[in-house]
Amino acid sequence: MISLSRYSKPRRAGDQTSGGLGKLLRATTALTRIELLTRETLQNSWDARLSGSSPTFGMRVDRLTDLRRRLLLDRIFTDLPASLSQIHESLKSPQVHAIEIYDRGTSGLEGPFRAFEEAPRGKPNNFNSFVFDIGSTSDSQVSGGTYGFGKTATFQVSKSHCVVYWSRCLNQSGEPEHRLIASALHDPYAEQGVRFTGAHWWGTIVGGDVEPLRGDEAEAIGRAIFQSDFGVDETGTSILILDPEISLEQQRGSGLEERVPVRTVAHAEELVRQIADAMAFSAWPKTTSTDGVSTPMNIELHHGTKTHEVATAIRSGYSRWASALARVRAAQGQQSSESIESTPPGVIREKIETIRLRPNASLRGSGDPIFGGRTDNVVGHLYLVASVRSAETSVFEVPRNRLCLMRSLAELVVRYDEVGSFDDDAVQWHAVFKPTPECDRHFSASEPSTHDSWTPRAAEEEVSTYVVSRALHQVRSKTRAFLTEGKTVGRSGERSVRKVAMALRSFVPTVLAISDDQASSQPGSRSSVRRRGRHTAVTDLEVISSQRLPDGQGQELVVRPVGIQGESRIMGQISLFARSQDGRMELNNSEAGVIWKQNGVIEGHGRECLLDVETDVHIEIRTHVATAVEVVLRGEAV
């Protein structure tokens, strides 16, 4: 097996040291290293996806075997200078771990593989951009990455600041080709009177420059070092991060953290937990289906041989966020309304806002098409929803009472804004804002290198500063208005957030049969009869008993329908209300379910059911949220 050769970049005029790149990232983001690593590599994989496919993005944490450690030390990281002694120390430890990040169904690191070689116009330059270039700008209108600094996040997680890249892509002849190269971004140093930037690559030295190892030899080393192989005709990229570090709290409650290398099973489990949280925080849009069948991206997470069902957990924990995103997509024509799931349980109020701008004549005459060809002045859409805070549990700490700002087609989560909250913590809210695809470039231009905020004045063009500034002002203003409206009792027929908050404190079922004049009767009683047109309305269904269901998740009523005027069947009707000191509100089908049974057979679901008279009816009432329930029963002749 061939060994790679080291190339260390000499210091030239205008060069930035590799150590300074890490400081630049840390200075511009509040994200942790694991969060930054996860979101940057996830977005890089999304940007490299093949047309018409759902790519796979995965991460694996595992201890390096003795064989893999020897291969990395003897064949990859050869000829180590004194400044890179940490690589040697890491690989000598039998407990050293690694993070393997991989994507499949992507284009891989295609394009020219020599740093000085220019890609033909309109052709990809992925290899040079990802491996050699720092600070390059993407021209793509739909990609999440624009600066190229984010790739340094992989080095920041590694104690020895080194990674190995293995990619399978199509070469210039259209044939699949394996490429392998290693890299380290470390502190600057001097050797034999020559200054070096601290950037190193291990590959094949050709004409005094470095290139990746290619072909069968690259494939052989890749398969020996990496655990995720390539399928037949499959392209993509794998990254091995050597000796990852995690941040641990020094003492409970101290707020002080220390970085420690992963050397134990407990540390590895904590690293996997942090990665899972970071995946959920940034990747939930990629697990949200656009057609009700498939997801935009397949997300995987492994700890050694153990597979974590992280995608399923994300969909469960972030279901309310996903519901909001689906409605924004529908407003922008990116998803059909038929593929949107029904409103989640507990929703009190929801609203979709269209964000429009009215630029003055000077901006319109700047020559820059502000709205990208749109004639409706729309720059984005905002969806707001208030709901009951349910008792649902999640393995993640899911954001709530936040405004999620995200890019358009890339659906990169930029940040979660704190705008406000309701007075009662029994009610929560979520909001999602996305620019239109035509206006996304303005928001991209306002992002820092870590893509985790929108700063209007950071944009180079005045028109972009205007669009982002005014759009954010509208979005936050409309969000505050939505929250303010929720703190007051609504007009007749609207649902009051305050009432629901009071009603949903605990599940204390109250079973009442209420007549039309609101006089209640207790179980075993009967009430009046009145005429409604040619039908006879029966409001005196006899309640025989009431008890909690065996699983404790609802209430069962036993009711006896009483026939009138010789009728053998009647239409049973039920209404359910959340009850509080401020009044009551009717619960809809998404908040409470009803099953009707006679003679042990389910006769129907919902608010009405055709029933035989003089035969006991068992009515199961299950609420999807914790609530005090008032039940109103009626029967009508058919």
Side-chain angles (χ1 to χ4, degrees), residues 252-273:
R252 184 179 295 275
S254 68
L256 300 176
E257 293 185 337
E258 62 176 338
R259 296 182 67 193
V260 298
V262 175
R263 291 286 193 276
T264 67
V265 173
H267 285 168
E269 290 175 344
E270 173 61 18
L271 174 58
V272 171
R273 186 195 67 77

Side-chain angles (χ1 to χ4, degrees), residues 343-350 386 388 485-500 504 576-578 584-591:
T343 302
V347 169
I348 301 165
R349 192 160 50 95
E350 56 186 335
V388 176
E485 292 167 5
K487 294 178 181 179
T488 61
V489 177
R491 298 184 298 274
S492 176
E494 292 185 346
R495 318 194 84 197
S496 161
V497 172
R498 181 64 180 167
K499 283 185 179 181
V500 173
L504 303 177
L576 304 174
F577 298 86
R584 65 176 187 169
M585 255 178 305
E586 188 168 3
L587 299 176
N588 59 36
N589 288 329
S590 70
E591 296 159 342

Side-chain angles (χ1 to χ4, degrees), residues 73-126:
L73 192 56
D74 298 341
R75 302 295 181 181
I76 304 296
F77 296 105
T78 60
D79 186 27
L80 294 174
S83 63
L84 296 180
S85 60
Q86 181 58 56
I87 297 178
H88 186 273
E89 293 177 18
S90 294
L91 289 173
K92 282 297 185 181
S93 170
Q95 299 303 320
V96 69
H97 282 62
I99 301 175
E100 184 175 320
I101 305 173
Y102 60 91
D103 60 46
R104 300 294 184 264
T106 61
S107 60
L109 300 180
E110 58 184 342
F113 51 84
R114 301 179 182 91
F116 60 83
E117 187 176 345
E118 181 184 21
R121 186 175 181 82
K123 297 296 184 180
N125 191 38
N126 294 347

